[in-house]
Amino acid sequence: MFLLLVCISCEWRLKSSDKDVPGDNVVVDRYDRIESLYLTTGDFSALQQMNTNYPMQTRTLIEDVLKIGYVNDHDINNKFLNFYQDTILQGLINEVEQQYAYMDDINKDLTNAFKKLRKKLPGMKIPMVYAQIGALDQSIIVGNNTLGISLDKYLGADYPLYKKFYPESQRKQMKRSMIVPDCLTFYILSCYPMPYNYEIKQLECDMHIGKIMWIVNSITHKPVFNTKYVAMVDKYMQRNKDVDMATLLKVTDYKDIANY
């Protein structure tokens, strides 16, 4: 699971209402729609919008996700457009457009989840989020207080194309209902990364991810992640009622947790 947590960059747009503190509401910025328009029609105005209104997202997609060159390369626009003319990728774009015509449910769940998370982890900033269409690369991209969702990785466990490339165990995670848990997991991990100042052992790695997964389960009130390490953390927290989530994330004595 940890090996799948590849993080890079992404964006969220925040809205406020009369009932909420400004910045509490999360609305996914639909960069994917502008991207889709350009990649299916070659519309130059769409390309201009991508470069002018979404420079960070476009740079990240081209340079870090697709790795097809640099945004300043003289032929990068044609290379980018031609890359997505593959029939498989065109199919992905079409499927994303159909399945994610609306994302109100995801906006609502993200808003609720991050409100709860911020209460449990005071001082945590709410990231800015956007949606994009990759090429079956990363699922969630994190960086610079931004969070990106690659919708092409959440088309459902039974999506025919997935069956050609992914085992059943992985396909179960590639569905709409996993977007919010994955966003929380990646973002918490970016805020509380693995300690790299020493040679980290596998147990420490697994337990760190287990702590984050346990927090996501608690925030969403769903057993989204079910591993033996999550179970260990759950037993530890049941026996240590005075330990809050912020303290849990700072615990480095993983053997103490593992003993449970």
Side-chain angles (χ1 to χ4, degrees), residues 37-209:
L37 179 60
Y38 175 62
L39 297 177
T40 55
T41 68
D43 188 326
F44 183 70
S45 63
L47 176 64
Q48 287 183 311
Q49 279 189 272
M50 291 176 63
N51 291 327
T52 302
N53 299 337
Y54 300 94
M56 181 275 293
Q57 292 89 333
T58 302
R59 178 183 293 275
T60 298
L61 178 61
I62 290 175
E63 297 183 359
D64 299 320
V65 177
L66 304 179
K67 295 182 173 63
I68 57 174
Y70 298 93
V71 291
N72 294 325
D73 291 348
H74 73 280
D75 62 341
I76 195 61
N77 294 334
N78 289 330
K79 185 180 293 186
F80 179 48
L81 180 62
N82 291 334
F83 181 87
Y84 276 93
Q85 298 316 300
D86 179 89
T87 55
I88 292 179
L89 295 181
Q90 285 291 309
L92 282 175
I93 293 172
N94 181 62
E95 190 67 25
V96 167
E97 289 179 341
Q98 293 185 43
Q99 290 196 28
Y100 291 95
Y102 300 97
M103 294 182 68
D104 292 348
D105 58 321
I106 294 173
N107 291 335
K108 180 180 178 181
D109 290 345
L110 283 171
T111 295
N112 291 335
F114 272 95
K115 281 182 181 179
K116 294 175 183 176
L117 187 64
R118 193 161 66 170
K119 289 181 179 178
K120 297 294 184 179
L121 300 175
M124 173 173 280
K125 296 180 179 179
I126 303 295
M128 299 185 71
V129 182
Y130 71 87
Q132 68 171 17
I133 302 172
L136 298 180
D137 296 289
Q138 290 87 0
S139 300
I140 303 295
I141 304 166
V142 183
N144 300 320
N145 198 40
T146 60
L147 212 174
I149 306 166
S150 293
L151 297 178
D152 53 292
K153 292 296 290 289
Y154 295 97
L155 298 177
D158 296 324
Y159 184 54
L161 182 62
Y162 290 170
K163 295 181 179 181
K164 297 180 180 180
F165 300 106
Y166 303 99
E168 182 179 2
S169 59
Q170 192 170 343
R171 296 201 309 271
K172 290 180 179 179
Q173 309 299 313
M174 301 171 71
K175 55 187 178 182
R176 190 184 188 100
S177 62
M178 284 302 299
I179 288 179
V180 174
D182 281 353
C183 283
L184 292 174
T185 301
F186 287 120
Y187 194 63
I188 295 172
L189 181 61
S190 73
C191 296
Y192 295 86
M194 297 284 183
Y196 288 112
N197 58 336
Y198 61 91
E199 185 177 350
I200 189 168
K201 298 179 181 178
Q202 188 61 46
L203 174 62
E204 295 167 332
C205 174
D206 293 336
M207 290 305 305
H208 188 73
I209 297 299

